[in-house]
Amino acid sequence: MKYQNQFALLDDARESLLQRVALIRMAQHSIKLQYYLWRDDASGLTLLNECKQAIERGVQVYLLLDDFTSKPTERLLRDLSQHPNFQVKFFNPLVHRKLRWLNYFTDFRRVNRRMHNKAFIVDDQYAIVGGRNIGDEYFGTHSGQLFSDLDVLMKGQGVNEIANDWLSYWQCDLAVSIENIAGRSRTEAFIERWQQFSKQAHAEQLNEYVFGGLSEETLDLSRVNWHEAEAQWISDDPYKASLSHKPSRLVVQQMVKVLSKATQQVRMVSPYFVPTQNGVQQIESMLERGIQFQVLTNSLAATDVPAVHAGYQRRRRRLLTAGAKLYELRRTQESPQNRVLPYFRRSATSLHAKTVTVDERSVFVGSFNFDPRSAQINTEAGLIIESPNLAQRIIEIFDHELPLRAYQVRLNRFYKLYWVDRSHVPVKRIYREPDAGLRRRFVVWLTARLPVDHLL
C-alpha cells in the first residue's frame, strides 16, 4: 500500500549519525531498531549510550540484531537488557557461542541465512532506513575505511507500515530473546566499556565531531529539507531465513515489478552487483526495448568483498555488448583533515549504498544488493519512493559527479575490456583491473572457478 509521506536524503555520513542521536533524544515512547551489524566502536557505543539515557527516562528500546556479527557487542547488550526498558533479540542465533566457526561445519545451511534489514524507528512517527549498519565505517567516526552510503529519513503514515514489518520480525520464531540464549551477563559491562572508551586519546576530539553539530536546529526536524511523496515499503517475509517455511513475499519479486515499469532509463547503485543468468536476460530485454541501463558498483580495488567481484566479472562483457553502461567506483586515498564528506565524494573508499532510479520518477533505497544472496538467502527491505526530486538528485550524481569518482568500463573493437579514468588529463585508458593487487586478482580468479555463485 502506498502512503503520502515526507522524506529527506541522508547522504552525509556525519549528518546520518547526528539524526539518529537527535531522534533518540526526541523519543518519548519507543525506539525500535533492526540491524545486521552493530559494532562496539565509537559510533556503536555512542548510540548505545544514547539508548541507555533514553531507557532511564522511561523510553522502551527494542533492538533486533542479526546474530552473525553479534559477538563483540553481546556482553554489552546482556548488561543493558537487564534494564526492564531495554529488550534485545538475536535473529537466527548460532548454537555454538564461543567457537562460532563450528556452526559452519555443523549447521551451514541455516546459519548462512541472515537478516540484512536496517530500520531505525522512533515513536512510530519517524524512521531512518537505507544501507547503513551501525559502525564507524558508515559514519566516518574513525580514520579508516569510509563507506559511501545512503539513508532516508521519513515521517508520515507509512512509518506505521515499517513498524508493523519490524514487529513481524520481532515476533517470529527466528528472533530469540538474549535471555534465552546461553551466555553470562555482567552487571555494569557497558559502563566499564564506555569509561574505557572515554579515556582514549581521541575521545575528546571524537565527542566534538559527534556532538559539536548538535543544536536546537538539529533537533528541530521541522527545519529538515523534506520532500513530500508517495512511498511503498517492501520487505522479505522473515521466514525467508527459515529452512522449513516458504516465504509469503520476496523483495526481489517486488523489485522486478518496479523495473518492469521502466520506459526510458534505469540507474542502479549496488556495492555487490552480481546479475544471474535470468537477471542478465531481463536487462538485455530492457536494452532491446530502448531503455537505458546504467550501473555503479565497486571496482575490484574498492570492494570490501573481493570474492563477490567474480560473479560480476563473469557477466560484465555480456552486459557491455548488450549496451549497458557500467561504472566502477575508484579506490581513493582518505584525507585526515577532510575525510567525512557526502555520498560519492573523494573521501569514500568503498561503495555501500543500494539505490535504483526508474524513469526519473521512482527511487528505491534500502538494504537489497543486486546479487543472489540478497535475492535468495538473506532477508532484505527498502522503500520505493515516487519522487522526481529525489530521483533527480541521484541522476545528477551519475551525470556530473560520477565521471570523476569512477571508471567507466568499455569494450574496444576487439571486445577487450578497458577502464576510462577521466580524473586524468588527458583521459587515461587502463587495460587491467585498476589498482587491484595480485592477491585480489587471485581471489577473483579462484572464486570464478568454484561453484559458489548462489552464495555471492
Side-chain angles (χ1 to χ4, degrees):
M1 185 178 296
K2 292 184 178 181
Y3 299 95
Q4 195 74 15
N5 301 279
Q6 291 183 299
F7 303 90
L9 282 182
L10 300 178
D11 57 354
D12 179 89
R14 179 169 177 262
E15 179 67 17
S16 189
L17 177 61
L18 290 179
Q19 288 296 349
R20 284 170 167 83
V21 173
L23 287 179
I24 294 174
R25 293 185 177 186
M26 289 173 54
Q28 297 180 359
H29 306 293
S30 67
I31 300 170
K32 300 170 182 175
L33 308 167
Q34 182 179 14
Y35 282 98
Y36 169 71
L37 171 68
W38 193 302
R39 296 199 187 280
D40 65 335
D41 54 17
S43 55
L45 291 172
T46 295
L47 290 175
L48 280 180
N49 190 55
E50 292 291 327
C51 287
K52 180 177 179 294
Q53 295 178 43
I55 63 176
E56 290 172 349
R57 65 174 189 267
V59 178
Q60 293 285 335
V61 175
Y62 307 88
L63 171 59
L64 178 58
L65 183 64
D66 188 84
D67 192 39
F68 186 70
T69 59
S70 69
K71 188 174 182 178
T73 55
E74 181 175 346
R75 66 186 184 89
L76 307 180
L77 296 177
R78 286 187 182 278
D79 176 27
L80 292 173
S81 66
Q82 295 180 62
H83 194 289
N85 288 352
F86 199 115
Q87 297 184 43
V88 178
K89 288 187 177 182
F90 287 155
F91 190 85
N92 202 14
L94 309 181
V95 174
H96 302 288
R97 307 303 298 173
K98 291 184 178 180
L99 302 177
R100 295 195 169 205
W101 54 270
L102 283 176
N103 292 282
Y104 292 101
F105 294 96
T106 61
D107 200 11
F108 176 78
R109 287 188 65 216
R110 184 183 70 84
V111 302
N112 187 46
R113 295 177 176 270
R114 309 315 317 173
M115 182 190 72
H116 196 237
N117 311 42
K118 288 97 176 168
F120 191 106
I121 308 162
V122 173
D123 292 340
D124 291 349
Q125 295 182 6
Y126 297 93
I128 296 177
V129 297
R132 287 186 177 94
N133 290 295
I134 305 300
D136 287 347
E137 63 268 42
Y138 301 93
F139 301 114
T141 47
H142 68 165
S143 59
Q145 184 180 46
L146 172 62
F147 281 133
S148 178
D149 218 325
L150 183 66
D151 287 325
V152 172
L153 172 63
M154 174 185 180
K155 68 175 180 177
Q157 189 178 0
V159 175
N160 287 325
E161 191 175 359
I162 301 175
N164 289 335
D165 183 61
W166 172 90
L167 186 62
S168 71
Y169 277 81
W170 181 262
Q171 294 181 337
C172 81
D173 297 340
L174 295 171
V176 180
S177 173
I178 195 171
E179 298 174 356
N180 298 325
I181 297 174
R184 291 181 297 176
S185 298
R186 279 187 54 206
T187 303
E188 298 190 348
F190 177 75
I191 293 177
E192 291 175 5
R193 180 69 179 91
W194 180 255
Q195 291 176 343
Q196 178 188 15
F197 164 71
S198 300
K199 293 177 182 177
Q200 294 178 7
H202 70 289
E204 183 176 347
Q205 180 182 0
L206 182 64
N207 188 64
E208 175 62 27
Y209 165 73
V210 175
F211 298 111
L214 280 177
S215 61
E216 292 300 322
E217 183 174 341
T218 307
L219 296 172
D220 184 4
L221 293 184
S222 65
R223 298 174 179 268
V224 172
N225 184 23
W226 295 104
H227 299 272
E228 189 166 321
E230 288 187 350
Q232 178 184 2
W233 177 252
I234 62 174
S235 68
D236 283 318
D237 185 329
Y239 287 104
K240 178 185 176 185
S242 171
L243 295 175
S244 58
H245 292 74
K246 183 177 180 180
S248 61
R249 64 184 185 277
L250 294 173
V251 166
V252 66
Q253 295 172 345
Q254 298 167 86
M255 287 300 302
V256 169
K257 291 180 182 179
V258 173
L259 295 176
S260 67
K261 296 178 181 179
T263 60
Q264 299 175 357
Q265 63 181 12
V266 172
R267 303 184 190 223
M268 183 179 294
V269 178
S270 181
Y272 317 119
F273 178 61
V274 186
T276 61
Q277 177 71 15
N278 184 52
V280 171
Q281 291 174 353
Q282 291 178 355
I283 294 171
E284 289 174 334
S285 176
M286 283 192 290
L287 291 165
E288 289 172 358
R289 300 198 308 271
I291 300 170
Q292 297 179 18
F293 189 86
Q294 300 181 28
V295 177
L296 170 66
T297 190
N298 277 311
S299 66
L300 177 55
T303 184
D304 62 320
V305 187
V308 174
H309 200 79
Y312 160 66
Q313 188 184 75
R314 186 179 292 115
R315 312 290 187 190
R316 188 165 48 188
R317 194 184 305 273
R318 179 174 170 181
L319 288 171
L320 289 170
T321 302
K325 291 185 178 180
L326 303 181
Y327 299 89
E328 297 179 5
L329 190 73
R330 291 191 297 112
R331 184 183 67 180
T332 55
Q333 298 297 323
E334 293 194 8
S335 168
Q337 292 78 28
N338 197 23
R339 68 173 185 273
V340 184
L341 293 172
Y343 186 44
F344 292 133
R345 299 303 172 90
R346 291 187 185 277
S347 59
T349 57
S350 186
L351 180 69
H352 196 261
K354 310 106 169 58
T355 183
V356 180
T357 61
V358 176
D359 289 349
E360 302 185 12
R361 68 171 190 274
S362 300
V363 178
F364 168 81
V365 178
S367 68
F368 185 86
N369 291 301
F370 292 84
D371 60 13
R373 172 166 288 278
S374 285
Q376 303 167 15
I377 299 175
N378 291 345
T379 67
E380 308 286 355
L383 275 170
I384 299 172
I385 308 170
E386 304 296 335
S387 172
N389 289 333
L390 295 183
Q392 188 59 40
R393 179 78 170 273
I394 306 299
I395 290 169
E396 288 174 356
I397 292 171
F398 268 89
D399 290 345
H400 303 298
E401 297 188 26
L402 194 56
L404 297 179
R405 313 300 183 216
Y407 307 106
Q408 182 176 3
V409 189
R410 291 183 176 179
L411 292 173
N412 65 15
R413 59 178 179 170
F414 303 109
Y415 291 90
K416 181 178 177 60
L417 286 169
Y418 67 95
W419 287 257
V420 178
D421 185 354
R422 298 187 184 279
S423 66
H424 284 263
V425 180
V427 174
K428 185 178 179 181
R429 288 189 178 191
I430 305 169
Y431 282 89
R432 71 173 186 178
E433 301 277 359
D435 297 325
L438 180 61
R439 181 178 178 181
R440 283 182 171 248
R441 295 201 301 272
F442 175 75
V443 169
V444 171
W445 176 87
L446 180 61
T447 306
R449 282 151 181 79
L450 297 173
V452 294
D453 269 16
H454 63 291
L455 300 176
L456 299 178

